[in-house]
Amino acid sequence: MQLLLHRAFIPVVLLVGLHTSAALAATTPLTQLQSALEQGQFEQAYALAQAQFETAAGDPAFDFMYARAALETGHYNEAVFALERVLAAKPNHQPSLYLLGLTYNKQKNYPQAASTLSSLLNTPLSDEFRQQVTRALDAIEDNLASLKQKLKHRISLALGHDSNVNSGTTDDRIVIGGLPILLDETSREASDSFARASYRFDGRWQQTQHQAWRANLQVSDQRHQDSDEFDRTQLSANLSYIQDIAAFQLHLGTQLGVMSLDSATYQQDAGVFGALRYAINEHWAATVNISAFNLNNVRDSALDSRLYTSGLALSRATRNWLLRLSAGYTWQPARNPEGEHYARDYSHFSASMVYRFNDAHRLNAKVQYRDIEHRAAHPFFLQVRDETLHIAHLAWQYQIRPAWSLETKLAYYDKDSSLQLYSYDRTEWSLGVHYDF
C-alpha cells in the first residue's frame, strides 16, 4: 500500500516555534518560498530553496520548508538531511518528525519510518493530528508486511491467428537444420489459428531494506488448429538476487528453459544474467545488462550453441508514461564445427512505451530491429547469410476487476535474408483473458 503525502498536516504554518510570523513575513525569500509551497508550486519552491541554500541552510524555518519542497519533488535524501538539521535545533518539533517519517517511507525505509512515527505518537498531540499520524503508521506497517513476501500468480488463456506459422517461434529460436533439397506444400507459408494457455508465478522475498530474492516461473502451451507439428510448450524458470546500493540496483540471477515442439523436447537452455541499474533522477534511469547462456538443440546436436549478450538501456518514467530505449550486441558461436553455418552475431535496437490512460486502460508498444550476420557459408547454398529482422508489437489491456483483465495483442515480423528461403513476413493477433491472484 503506497502512503500518500498528507498535505493537510504539514503546511508551512506549522513552523510555530521555529520563527515568529512577523520575523518570517519580514524575510522576503522565506515568504516567497512559503507562498510557493502553500500554492502547491513545488518545483518552483524547490528552485527557490536551492537558490537560498548557501545563505539560509541551518535556519530551522528554511530547512523545514526546504525539506517539504524536496520531498514533494522526489529529492528524498535532501529532505532527510534538511529535517535532521531542524531536529538538531528543535528535537521535539512534531511537524518535522512527521515529515521525516513520510520521507523514510518514500525511500522504502519502512522500519525507520515506523520507528519515527511511533516515537511521535508517544508525545502530546492534538486528536486530529494523532489520527493522521496513526493512519500514516498503519499504512507504513502494511508496506513493511508486504515487503517480507510477495507472491503473484497469473493464469491466462488466449485465442489468436498466425499468418505464417511455418516461420517458427516469436523469438526466432526454431532452426531448420537439414538441407532444403526438396520443398513440398508443407514448406510454404501457411496461416493457422491457435489457442494458448499459460501460467506465471512471481515471488519476491525481502531480506533487508536493500536486499531481496526473486523467483519467476512461466509455462505456456500453444496448440494450432491444423498445423499440429508446430504445437509447442515452453517453460522458463529463474532465480535472482537484488541489492540496492544508494542510486544503484544490482540484479544477478540464473535461468533454465525448455521448449517442446510437437510434443517432443526441442531445445534446452541454461545460463546466468546480470544487470546494473542507475537512477539518474526521479524520472530517468540507465541500465547495463549482460547474459551468458548455453543452448542445447535436442534434435540436432550440430546446432548447439552459446549465447552471449550485452546491452544498455535508458528509460524515463512519469505518472502515466514509461519510455525505454535499448541497444545491444549478441554473440552466438556454434559449439560444434558442423553447425558453424548457423553461428551468428547480431546487433539489436529497440524502443518501447507503456501508457496508462487510467486505472482500467493501458497501452503497450514496442519496435525492434536486428542486424544478423552469420559466421560461415551455408553448406548447401555456399553463401554466408546476412539478415535483418523488424519486429513491432502493440497491446492494449483492460482491467475489468482487480483480478480479471482482457488483453489484445498484435505483432508483426519482417525478416529479410540474403537466402530467400529464410525470408518471411508474419502477423500474429490474439485476444486473451488474465486471472491474477
Side-chain angles (χ1 to χ4, degrees):
M1 177 179 180
Q2 277 293 331
L3 177 62
L4 299 179
L5 185 58
H6 302 289
R7 298 188 176 110
F9 280 87
I10 53 173
V12 179
V13 295
L14 285 177
L15 287 168
V16 174
L18 297 181
H19 261 300
T20 64
S21 59
L24 183 60
T27 309
T28 302
L30 285 183
T31 305
Q32 294 174 345
L33 179 54
Q34 175 183 351
S35 177
L37 289 171
E38 290 176 344
Q39 295 175 26
Q41 299 172 346
F42 301 116
E43 294 289 348
Q44 178 184 347
Y46 181 72
L48 288 170
Q50 287 284 85
Q52 300 172 36
F53 185 83
E54 293 297 329
T55 57
D59 179 352
F62 168 80
D63 284 334
F64 182 84
M65 288 189 285
Y66 178 48
R68 171 78 187 282
L71 176 55
E72 294 280 9
T73 54
H75 299 86
Y76 304 133
N77 288 337
E78 295 178 38
V80 169
F81 295 150
L83 291 169
E84 287 177 345
R85 292 195 297 270
V86 176
L87 293 170
K90 301 285 184 179
N92 299 317
H93 187 241
Q94 294 172 343
S96 292
L97 288 169
Y98 179 65
L99 202 62
L100 184 60
L102 295 183
T103 307
Y104 283 140
N105 175 72
K106 287 292 186 179
Q107 292 180 314
K108 297 185 179 180
N109 187 352
Y110 301 131
Q112 193 65 37
S115 175
T116 301
L117 294 188
S118 295
S119 66
L120 182 58
L121 286 177
N122 294 328
T123 64
L125 304 173
S126 68
D127 290 341
E128 192 174 4
F129 192 21
R130 181 175 292 276
Q131 291 175 6
Q132 189 77 6
V133 174
T134 300
R135 285 196 294 269
L137 183 58
D138 289 342
I140 289 171
E141 290 177 344
D142 287 343
N143 286 338
L144 189 60
S146 67
L147 267 186
K148 293 179 180 178
Q149 177 175 284
K150 285 186 178 180
L151 305 178
K152 296 181 180 179
H153 306 265
R154 166 171 284 193
I155 297 174
S156 304
L157 177 63
L159 301 176
H161 185 267
D162 190 336
S163 70
N164 188 1
V165 67
N166 283 358
S167 64
T169 61
T170 55
D171 57 359
D172 197 32
R173 289 165 63 187
I174 291 180
V175 182
I176 301 173
L179 300 181
I181 298 176
L182 298 175
L183 299 179
D184 57 21
E185 292 293 329
T186 62
S187 301
R188 296 180 180 177
E189 179 177 320
S191 63
D192 200 1
S193 299
F194 64 85
R196 181 190 300 131
S198 61
Y199 166 76
R200 173 171 179 154
F201 165 77
D202 285 293
R204 183 182 176 112
W205 296 266
Q206 201 73 24
Q207 304 302 300
T208 68
Q209 175 192 347
H210 301 291
Q211 298 172 312
W213 287 96
R214 185 176 177 181
N216 172 267
L217 174 68
Q218 297 183 63
V219 182
S220 68
D221 183 71
Q222 181 165 315
R223 300 289 163 171
H224 295 85
Q225 181 176 350
D226 300 317
S227 310
D228 57 1
E229 67 272 22
F230 293 104
D231 291 348
R232 57 183 176 269
T233 302
Q234 292 178 267
L235 180 147
S236 174
N238 66 61
L239 177 66
S240 59
Y241 172 76
I242 300 172
Q243 171 76 58
D244 293 320
I245 309 170
F248 291 90
Q249 183 182 81
L250 179 65
H251 192 181
L252 300 173
T254 183
Q255 179 172 308
L256 299 173
V258 178
M259 184 200 308
S260 295
L261 188 64
D262 193 18
S263 301
T265 301
Y266 176 83
Q267 182 169 278
Q268 302 166 343
D269 60 76
V272 295
F273 61 87
L276 181 63
R277 181 180 183 272
Y278 173 63
I280 302 171
N281 55 35
E282 181 186 4
H283 299 294
W284 290 92
T287 305
V288 177
N289 53 75
I290 58 173
S291 63
F293 281 82
N294 195 35
L295 276 60
N296 177 28
N297 191 296
V298 177
R299 299 191 184 182
D300 188 351
S301 60
L303 298 176
D304 291 351
S305 63
R306 294 184 175 89
L307 200 67
Y308 306 101
T309 300
S310 62
L312 175 65
L314 183 66
S315 60
R316 174 176 170 80
T318 61
R319 180 179 177 83
N320 295 318
W321 288 90
L322 174 61
L323 303 174
R324 182 182 175 92
L325 298 174
S326 62
Y329 198 81
T330 296
W331 302 265
Q332 189 172 0
R335 290 171 54 191
N336 301 308
E338 57 268 32
E340 193 65 22
H341 67 282
Y342 175 64
R344 55 188 178 176
D345 304 327
Y346 56 90
S347 52
H348 35 96
F349 308 91
S350 67
S352 61
M353 176 270 295
V354 179
Y355 178 65
R356 187 176 70 91
F357 293 93
N358 49 45
D359 290 340
H361 298 276
R362 188 177 68 188
L363 181 69
N364 296 356
K366 182 177 181 179
V367 292
Q368 185 180 84
Y369 169 79
R370 298 183 188 179
D371 185 11
I372 308 166
E373 298 180 358
H374 286 74
R375 295 189 171 193
H378 194 282
F380 179 74
F381 294 103
L382 304 180
Q383 180 181 341
V384 177
R385 274 192 287 163
D386 288 325
E387 301 171 334
T388 59
L389 177 61
H390 299 82
I391 305 173
H393 286 201
L394 186 65
W396 169 74
Q397 182 171 317
Y398 171 53
Q399 197 73 37
I400 306 171
R401 295 181 178 179
W404 291 94
S405 60
L406 282 174
E407 185 173 30
T408 182
K409 295 181 179 181
L410 179 65
Y412 175 72
Y413 304 85
D414 179 13
K415 188 173 184 180
D416 184 21
S417 176
S418 57
L419 295 179
Q420 189 59 35
L421 176 70
Y422 294 93
S423 297
Y424 65 81
D425 292 317
R426 177 170 176 247
T427 302
E428 182 184 276
W429 172 84
S430 65
L431 175 65
V433 59
H434 305 300
Y435 174 63
D436 297 288
F437 60 99

